[in-house]
mmCIF file of all heavy atoms in Angstrom:
data_model
loop_
_atom_site.group_PDB
_atom_site.id
_atom_site.type_symbol
_atom_site.label_atom_id
_atom_site.label_comp_id
_atom_site.label_asym_id
_atom_site.label_seq_id
_atom_site.Cartn_x
_atom_site.Cartn_y
_atom_site.Cartn_z
ATOM 1 N N PRO H 229 -14.546 12.942 48.743
ATOM 2 C CA PRO H 229 -15.805 12.234 48.490
ATOM 3 C C PRO H 229 -15.762 10.806 48.812
ATOM 4 O O PRO H 229 -16.779 10.230 48.905
ATOM 5 C CB PRO H 229 -16.027 12.503 46.944
ATOM 6 C CG PRO H 229 -15.183 13.769 46.562
ATOM 7 C CD PRO H 229 -13.968 13.673 47.499
ATOM 8 N N TYR H 230 -14.619 10.291 49.074
ATOM 9 C CA TYR H 230 -14.468 8.769 49.262
ATOM 10 C C TYR H 230 -14.019 8.447 50.601
ATOM 11 O O TYR H 230 -13.522 7.258 50.943
ATOM 12 C CB TYR H 230 -13.575 8.233 48.125
ATOM 13 C CG TYR H 230 -14.047 8.457 46.734
ATOM 14 C CD1 TYR H 230 -13.560 9.627 45.996
ATOM 15 C CD2 TYR H 230 -15.061 7.742 46.111
ATOM 16 C CE1 TYR H 230 -14.054 10.001 44.789
ATOM 17 C CE2 TYR H 230 -15.580 8.125 44.796
ATOM 18 C CZ TYR H 230 -15.053 9.199 44.233
ATOM 19 O OH TYR H 230 -15.447 9.443 43.027
ATOM 20 N N HIS H 231 -13.983 9.332 51.566
ATOM 21 C CA HIS H 231 -13.523 9.054 52.934
ATOM 22 C C HIS H 231 -14.364 8.134 53.725
ATOM 23 O O HIS H 231 -13.869 7.488 54.656
ATOM 24 C CB HIS H 231 -13.384 10.459 53.692
ATOM 25 C CG HIS H 231 -12.237 11.344 53.127
ATOM 26 N ND1 HIS H 231 -11.888 12.524 53.658
ATOM 27 C CD2 HIS H 231 -11.259 11.074 52.192
ATOM 28 C CE1 HIS H 231 -10.885 12.951 52.980
ATOM 29 N NE2 HIS H 231 -10.489 12.177 52.170
ATOM 30 N N ARG H 232 -15.659 8.023 53.268
ATOM 31 C CA ARG H 232 -16.553 7.304 54.125
ATOM 32 C C ARG H 232 -16.108 5.824 54.357
ATOM 33 O O ARG H 232 -16.448 5.281 55.477
ATOM 34 C CB ARG H 232 -18.014 7.229 53.513
ATOM 35 C CG ARG H 232 -19.107 6.708 54.346
ATOM 36 C CD ARG H 232 -20.355 6.779 53.724
ATOM 37 N NE ARG H 232 -20.455 6.333 52.338
ATOM 38 C CZ ARG H 232 -21.447 6.424 51.455
ATOM 39 N NH1 ARG H 232 -22.570 7.018 51.969
ATOM 40 N NH2 ARG H 232 -21.385 5.834 50.307
ATOM 41 N N ASN H 233 -15.505 5.290 53.411
ATOM 42 C CA ASN H 233 -15.037 3.846 53.530
ATOM 43 C C ASN H 233 -13.687 3.680 53.951
ATOM 44 O O ASN H 233 -13.201 2.501 53.945
ATOM 45 C CB ASN H 233 -15.363 3.153 52.120
ATOM 46 C CG ASN H 233 -16.808 3.203 51.631
ATOM 47 O OD1 ASN H 233 -17.647 2.991 52.453
ATOM 48 N ND2 ASN H 233 -16.982 3.409 50.403
ATOM 49 N N VAL H 234 -12.980 4.720 54.278
ATOM 50 C CA VAL H 234 -11.500 4.652 54.666
ATOM 51 C C VAL H 234 -11.489 4.534 56.261
ATOM 52 O O VAL H 234 -12.047 5.480 56.904
ATOM 53 C CB VAL H 234 -10.796 5.907 54.192
ATOM 54 C CG1 VAL H 234 -9.355 5.726 54.654
ATOM 55 C CG2 VAL H 234 -10.918 5.976 52.668
ATOM 56 N N PRO H 235 -10.810 3.488 56.708
ATOM 57 C CA PRO H 235 -10.620 3.450 58.231
ATOM 58 C C PRO H 235 -9.959 4.742 58.722
ATOM 59 O O PRO H 235 -8.984 5.197 57.966
ATOM 60 C CB PRO H 235 -9.678 2.202 58.417
ATOM 61 C CG PRO H 235 -10.046 1.433 57.140
ATOM 62 C CD PRO H 235 -10.218 2.354 56.078
ATOM 63 N N GLN H 236 -10.271 5.124 59.969
ATOM 64 C CA GLN H 236 -9.797 6.446 60.413
ATOM 65 C C GLN H 236 -8.242 6.385 60.544
ATOM 66 O O GLN H 236 -7.551 7.456 60.308
ATOM 67 C CB GLN H 236 -10.319 6.581 61.967
ATOM 68 C CG GLN H 236 -10.177 8.073 62.363
ATOM 69 C CD GLN H 236 -10.974 9.062 61.352
ATOM 70 O OE1 GLN H 236 -11.972 8.821 60.823
ATOM 71 N NE2 GLN H 236 -10.310 10.144 61.147
ATOM 72 N N ASP H 237 -7.707 5.216 60.901
ATOM 73 C CA ASP H 237 -6.190 5.040 61.021
ATOM 74 C C ASP H 237 -5.496 5.147 59.645
ATOM 75 O O ASP H 237 -4.290 5.223 59.521
ATOM 76 C CB ASP H 237 -5.747 4.038 62.001
ATOM 77 C CG ASP H 237 -6.064 2.683 61.251
ATOM 78 O OD1 ASP H 237 -6.962 2.598 60.412
ATOM 79 O OD2 ASP H 237 -5.469 1.673 61.679
ATOM 80 N N LYS H 238 -6.299 4.983 58.537
ATOM 81 C CA LYS H 238 -5.745 5.035 57.230
ATOM 82 C C LYS H 238 -6.010 6.301 56.474
ATOM 83 O O LYS H 238 -5.631 6.537 55.255
ATOM 84 C CB LYS H 238 -6.234 3.854 56.300
ATOM 85 C CG LYS H 238 -5.917 2.383 56.920
ATOM 86 C CD LYS H 238 -4.345 2.271 56.881
ATOM 87 C CE LYS H 238 -4.048 0.881 57.452
ATOM 88 N NZ LYS H 238 -2.485 0.600 57.335
ATOM 89 N N LEU H 239 -6.602 7.327 57.155
ATOM 90 C CA LEU H 239 -6.844 8.546 56.398
ATOM 91 C C LEU H 239 -5.847 9.591 57.067
ATOM 92 O O LEU H 239 -5.944 9.886 58.235
ATOM 93 C CB LEU H 239 -8.223 9.057 56.703
ATOM 94 C CG LEU H 239 -8.578 10.433 56.143
ATOM 95 C CD1 LEU H 239 -8.498 10.300 54.565
ATOM 96 C CD2 LEU H 239 -10.068 10.642 56.573
ATOM 97 N N PHE H 240 -4.959 10.141 56.245
ATOM 98 C CA PHE H 240 -3.873 10.884 56.792
ATOM 99 C C PHE H 240 -4.081 12.384 56.554
ATOM 100 O O PHE H 240 -4.726 12.776 55.570
ATOM 101 C CB PHE H 240 -2.543 10.504 55.969
ATOM 102 C CG PHE H 240 -2.058 9.038 56.091
ATOM 103 C CD1 PHE H 240 -1.232 8.468 55.192
ATOM 104 C CD2 PHE H 240 -2.400 8.420 57.313
ATOM 105 C CE1 PHE H 240 -0.941 7.054 55.175
ATOM 106 C CE2 PHE H 240 -2.045 7.062 57.372
ATOM 107 C CZ PHE H 240 -1.219 6.389 56.454
ATOM 108 N N SER H 241 -3.564 13.112 57.393
ATOM 109 C CA SER H 241 -3.469 14.568 57.164
ATOM 110 C C SER H 241 -2.362 14.938 56.179
ATOM 111 O O SER H 241 -1.448 13.970 55.998
ATOM 112 C CB SER H 241 -3.128 15.385 58.388
ATOM 113 O OG SER H 241 -1.790 14.983 58.856
ATOM 114 N N ALA H 242 -2.473 15.854 55.420
ATOM 115 C CA ALA H 242 -1.506 16.344 54.445
ATOM 116 C C ALA H 242 -0.186 16.408 55.122
ATOM 117 O O ALA H 242 0.961 15.917 54.592
ATOM 118 C CB ALA H 242 -1.782 17.512 53.673
ATOM 119 N N GLU H 243 -0.146 16.857 56.295
ATOM 120 C CA GLU H 243 1.113 17.133 57.150
ATOM 121 C C GLU H 243 1.856 15.797 57.430
ATOM 122 O O GLU H 243 2.987 15.616 57.111
ATOM 123 C CB GLU H 243 0.900 17.797 58.510
ATOM 124 C CG GLU H 243 2.160 18.165 59.252
ATOM 125 C CD GLU H 243 1.872 18.918 60.454
ATOM 126 O OE1 GLU H 243 0.557 19.149 60.787
ATOM 127 O OE2 GLU H 243 2.819 19.329 61.201
ATOM 128 N N HIS H 244 1.026 14.808 57.740
ATOM 129 C CA HIS H 244 1.503 13.454 58.144
ATOM 130 C C HIS H 244 2.084 12.744 56.907
ATOM 131 O O HIS H 244 3.270 12.139 56.894
ATOM 132 C CB HIS H 244 0.524 12.634 58.792
ATOM 133 C CG HIS H 244 0.944 11.183 58.970
ATOM 134 N ND1 HIS H 244 1.756 10.865 60.045
ATOM 135 C CD2 HIS H 244 0.715 9.990 58.347
ATOM 136 C CE1 HIS H 244 2.099 9.471 60.094
ATOM 137 N NE2 HIS H 244 1.344 9.052 59.046
ATOM 138 N N SER H 245 1.268 12.765 55.701
ATOM 139 C CA SER H 245 1.695 12.274 54.615
ATOM 140 C C SER H 245 3.051 12.670 54.036
ATOM 141 O O SER H 245 3.964 12.062 53.701
ATOM 142 C CB SER H 245 0.496 12.333 53.588
ATOM 143 O OG SER H 245 1.028 11.718 52.354
ATOM 144 N N VAL H 246 3.050 14.088 53.939
ATOM 145 C CA VAL H 246 4.379 14.656 53.539
ATOM 146 C C VAL H 246 5.625 14.479 54.247
ATOM 147 O O VAL H 246 6.582 14.244 53.774
ATOM 148 C CB VAL H 246 4.014 16.170 53.294
ATOM 149 C CG1 VAL H 246 5.345 16.947 52.927
ATOM 150 C CG2 VAL H 246 3.053 16.506 52.057
ATOM 151 N N SER H 247 5.199 14.382 55.615
ATOM 152 C CA SER H 247 6.457 14.058 56.462
ATOM 153 C C SER H 247 6.935 12.699 56.159
ATOM 154 O O SER H 247 8.185 12.470 56.118
ATOM 155 C CB SER H 247 5.924 14.167 57.989
ATOM 156 O OG SER H 247 6.960 13.873 58.885
ATOM 157 N N ARG H 248 6.011 11.702 55.970
ATOM 158 C CA ARG H 248 6.538 10.343 55.576
ATOM 159 C C ARG H 248 7.209 10.369 54.305
ATOM 160 O O ARG H 248 8.247 9.647 54.000
ATOM 161 C CB ARG H 248 5.320 9.396 55.599
ATOM 162 C CG ARG H 248 4.702 9.242 56.944
ATOM 163 C CD ARG H 248 5.661 8.786 58.025
ATOM 164 N NE ARG H 248 6.105 7.427 57.880
ATOM 165 C CZ ARG H 248 5.680 6.378 58.452
ATOM 166 N NH1 ARG H 248 4.568 6.342 59.094
ATOM 167 N NH2 ARG H 248 6.236 5.020 58.035
ATOM 168 N N LEU H 249 6.553 11.123 53.303
ATOM 169 C CA LEU H 249 7.210 10.910 51.984
ATOM 170 C C LEU H 249 8.674 11.644 51.946
ATOM 171 O O LEU H 249 9.538 11.285 51.161
ATOM 172 C CB LEU H 249 6.325 11.892 50.976
ATOM 173 C CG LEU H 249 4.856 11.065 50.640
ATOM 174 C CD1 LEU H 249 4.052 12.066 49.808
ATOM 175 C CD2 LEU H 249 5.085 9.743 50.172
ATOM 176 N N MET H 250 8.753 12.790 52.620
ATOM 177 C CA MET H 250 10.110 13.431 52.668
ATOM 178 C C MET H 250 11.127 12.578 53.441
ATOM 179 O O MET H 250 12.276 12.622 53.129
ATOM 180 C CB MET H 250 10.058 14.867 53.320
ATOM 181 C CG MET H 250 9.423 15.941 52.474
ATOM 182 S SD MET H 250 10.258 16.171 50.901
ATOM 183 C CE MET H 250 11.858 16.711 51.586
ATOM 184 N N GLY H 251 10.615 11.790 54.255
ATOM 185 C CA GLY H 251 11.351 10.854 55.032
ATOM 186 C C GLY H 251 12.030 9.804 53.859
ATOM 187 O O GLY H 251 13.135 9.405 54.005
ATOM 188 N N ILE H 252 11.153 9.395 52.916
ATOM 189 C CA ILE H 252 11.665 8.584 51.870
ATOM 190 C C ILE H 252 12.705 9.341 51.009
ATOM 191 O O ILE H 252 13.694 8.757 50.601
ATOM 192 C CB ILE H 252 10.438 8.021 51.115
ATOM 193 C CG1 ILE H 252 9.557 7.225 51.922
ATOM 194 C CG2 ILE H 252 10.966 7.278 49.780
ATOM 195 C CD1 ILE H 252 8.238 6.716 51.265
ATOM 196 N N VAL H 253 12.476 10.576 50.683
ATOM 197 C CA VAL H 253 13.158 11.403 49.758
ATOM 198 C C VAL H 253 14.637 11.514 50.429
ATOM 199 O O VAL H 253 15.606 11.424 49.727
ATOM 200 C CB VAL H 253 12.581 12.802 49.691
ATOM 201 C CG1 VAL H 253 13.623 13.679 48.896
ATOM 202 C CG2 VAL H 253 11.384 12.733 48.733
ATOM 203 N N ASP H 254 14.642 11.624 51.803
ATOM 204 C CA ASP H 254 15.950 11.657 52.458
ATOM 205 C C ASP H 254 16.838 10.529 52.261
ATOM 206 O O ASP H 254 17.964 10.479 52.468
ATOM 207 C CB ASP H 254 15.733 11.895 53.914
ATOM 208 C CG ASP H 254 15.214 13.327 54.206
ATOM 209 O OD1 ASP H 254 15.417 14.226 53.480
ATOM 210 O OD2 ASP H 254 14.618 13.483 55.373
ATOM 211 N N THR H 255 16.270 9.383 51.898
ATOM 212 C CA THR H 255 16.983 8.130 51.715
ATOM 213 C C THR H 255 17.268 7.735 50.377
ATOM 214 O O THR H 255 17.972 6.745 50.051
ATOM 215 C CB THR H 255 16.244 6.972 52.280
ATOM 216 O OG1 THR H 255 15.024 6.572 51.410
ATOM 217 C CG2 THR H 255 15.640 7.292 53.727
#
Side-chain angles (χ1 to χ4, degrees):
Y230 302 94
H231 289 176
R232 185 174 57 186
N233 299 321
V234 179
Q236 197 61 37
D237 63 338
K238 296 296 184 184
L239 180 61
F240 300 152
S241 67
E243 183 178 6
H244 175 76
S245 178
V246 167
S247 178
R248 297 301 296 264
L249 295 179
M250 284 302 299
I252 297 171
V253 170
D254 288 340
T255 71

